[in-house]
Amino acid sequence: QVQLVESGGGLVQAGGSLRLSCAASERVFSWHAMGWFRQAPRKEREFVAAITWSSTTTYYADSVKGRFTISRNNAKNSVYLQMTSLKPEDTAIYYCAASVVPLRIGTRENEYANWGQGTQVTVSS
């Protein structure tokens, strides 16, 4: 039973933009903070951004601050990641996930569950 589905990845030149989307089932989305993580080849999965249920609080990794924006539409059970000024080092598989504890936002991987299958983002130099 697929509960989170990411889309919007692709190949883009450095300096370009992409918008990732994550569609979730209501059961895992409602009242949960949502996060985006990424995993580059031969690297550990790392935190990218997170947003609370009410959208009042957002967290970003230092590496993406000022370039990426996380948002959500609770009526559509969806979370988004707008990525601008992309760099080759942003190349990775991007995953969305829902917080384990409702209403609790975090930056650690073990604070999230119900991972999607990921969407590939490739930034060429």
Side-chain angles (χ1 to χ4, degrees):
Q1 181 178 351
V2 177
Q3 302 187 88
L4 291 168
V5 179
E6 301 94 338
S7 62
L11 174 63
V12 64
Q13 287 189 328
S17 299
L18 280 175
R19 186 181 189 235
L20 304 185
S21 299
C22 173
S25 66
E26 185 175 359
R27 187 183 72 79
V28 301
F29 190 83
S30 296
W31 303 108
H32 288 261
M34 296 296 294
W36 284 97
F37 289 73
R38 67 186 181 186
Q39 187 168 19
R42 298 175 297 281
K43 291 190 176 181
E44 298 286 320
R45 188 154 54 185
E46 65 175 3
F47 170 77
V48 176
I51 187 167
T52 52
W53 164 253
S54 61
S55 299
T56 54
T57 301
T58 55
Y59 291 163
Y60 294 95
D62 288 343
S63 59
V64 306
K65 275 181 186 174
R67 300 188 299 121
F68 291 11
T69 303
I70 189 171
S71 62
R72 66 190 293 163
N73 183 328
N74 291 343
K76 295 184 177 181
N77 294 333
S78 294
V79 62
Y80 310 98
L81 187 68
Q82 179 68 49
M83 306 186 294
T84 62
S85 301
L86 282 162
K87 305 174 181 180
E89 50 264 43
D90 294 318
T91 295
I93 299 174
Y94 283 71
Y95 300 90
C96 69
S99 63
V100 172
V101 178
L103 301 178
R104 183 174 295 175
I105 190 173
T107 62
R108 297 192 304 268
E109 192 172 340
N110 63 6
E111 295 179 288
Y112 292 85
N114 295 301
W115 297 85
Q117 83 291 346
T119 186
Q120 176 71 48
V121 172
T122 302
V123 184
S124 63
S125 58

